[in-house]
Amino acid sequence: MFRRTPRPSGDPLLGKPASFGIHRYLQGSSNLFEENRLLKLAIAGMFGVTLVLGTVMYTSNQNQRTVVVPFGASGDLYVTGSKPSEAYLRTITFNVVSLSGTYSAYSADRQFQELLSIAHPSAYNALRDSLNRLLDELADNPTLSISTYIRPDQPVTWTDRAIVVPVEKVRVIGGVVRKFRGNLRISYAIDNGRFWLTALTEENFDADPR
């Protein structure tokens, strides 16, 4: 005669029908599925928050204002993201015209070196070569001097890539004076709040008829 071994008294299924065990298994699976769903929702929520914070930080960086005030300068000289203020552009325009357009055999080399310090790396070689040609001309004509003035009767215009400056250029060599009028195009880029010179081009220059 075989004797049935009783279940341990701690067995939760003791005395329960077989359907109870199936129900308990399904209920556990349902709870596990619910936990996984909540975990996925939590991960999605964290991703959404990270995306929003990243967007806010990017927008903040783009709108960050970099203030640069040289010694003796006044006005609102700043760059917001990649957009310089009008006062900043006016100051840059004056400095570039002065460095590139008013020189003699004695001052040109120092001025051109200073101008090259703001040349963009991609444009450095081309700009250096064009300035070296001017130095060669000065070496052949030591009495040559150039003065360039921004014309007050014409507006200076600019875009986010270039500044067009109406100028008058006075060329003196051996006591002979000649005047020319035209536009100086200052091509530039703003990178990390810094102004970079990318090109200098003279446009529509003609001798002053007066």
Side-chain angles (χ1 to χ4, degrees):
M1 182 176 181
F2 297 96
R3 180 176 298 177
R4 187 176 180 180
T5 303
R7 291 179 180 269
S9 59
D11 190 343
L13 299 179
L14 184 63
K16 303 292 184 180
S19 60
F20 179 80
I22 297 175
H23 175 74
R24 184 182 178 89
Y25 172 78
L26 293 177
Q27 185 179 15
S29 299
S30 177
N31 290 339
L32 182 61
F33 176 79
E34 186 69 20
E35 290 176 0
N36 288 340
R37 190 169 69 118
L38 291 175
L39 181 60
K40 291 178 181 178
L41 287 176
I43 292 174
M46 290 178 62
F47 178 78
V49 171
T50 301
L51 183 63
V52 171
L53 288 177
T55 303
V56 170
M57 290 179 64
Y58 175 79
T59 304
S60 177
N61 288 335
Q62 287 298 103
N63 293 329
Q64 184 177 2
R65 177 174 294 184
T66 301
V67 180
V68 182
V69 183
F71 177 77
S74 61
D76 296 326
L77 308 182
Y78 60 84
V79 177
T80 301
S82 60
K83 184 177 181 180
S85 66
E86 291 187 9
Y88 184 94
L89 286 177
R90 283 195 297 268
T91 301
I92 284 291
T93 299
F94 177 82
N95 289 337
V96 171
V97 170
S98 178
L99 290 173
S100 66
T102 300
Y103 55 86
S104 66
Y106 303 101
S107 65
D109 186 65
R110 175 183 55 79
Q111 290 180 212
F112 293 169
Q113 288 298 324
E114 187 171 349
L115 193 62
L116 286 173
S117 69
I118 61 172
H120 192 272
S122 64
Y124 183 90
N125 290 337
L127 189 58
R128 181 197 58 195
D129 292 343
S130 65
L131 295 176
N132 282 340
R133 285 192 289 271
L134 293 178
L135 290 176
D136 292 340
E137 184 181 3
L138 288 169
D140 295 335
N141 302 279
T143 62
L144 172 64
S145 65
I146 302 290
S147 298
T148 302
Y149 308 95
I150 299 175
R151 295 176 58 184
D153 60 324
Q154 297 291 326
V156 176
T157 59
W158 56 75
T159 66
D160 60 350
R161 289 292 180 269
I163 308 168
V164 180
V165 192
V167 296
E168 180 177 87
K169 178 181 287 188
V170 181
R171 177 185 174 98
V172 181
I173 181 171
V176 179
V177 179
R178 295 194 66 187
K179 294 183 179 181
F180 303 87
R181 284 187 170 183
N183 293 327
L184 177 66
R185 178 178 292 271
I186 304 170
S187 301
Y188 72 94
I190 301 294
D191 186 16
N192 291 326
R194 177 174 177 176
F195 179 94
W196 291 101
L197 181 64
T198 58
L200 283 174
T201 311
E202 293 183 346
E203 301 175 338
N204 305 319
F205 265 81
D206 296 312
D208 187 352
R210 292 180 300 171

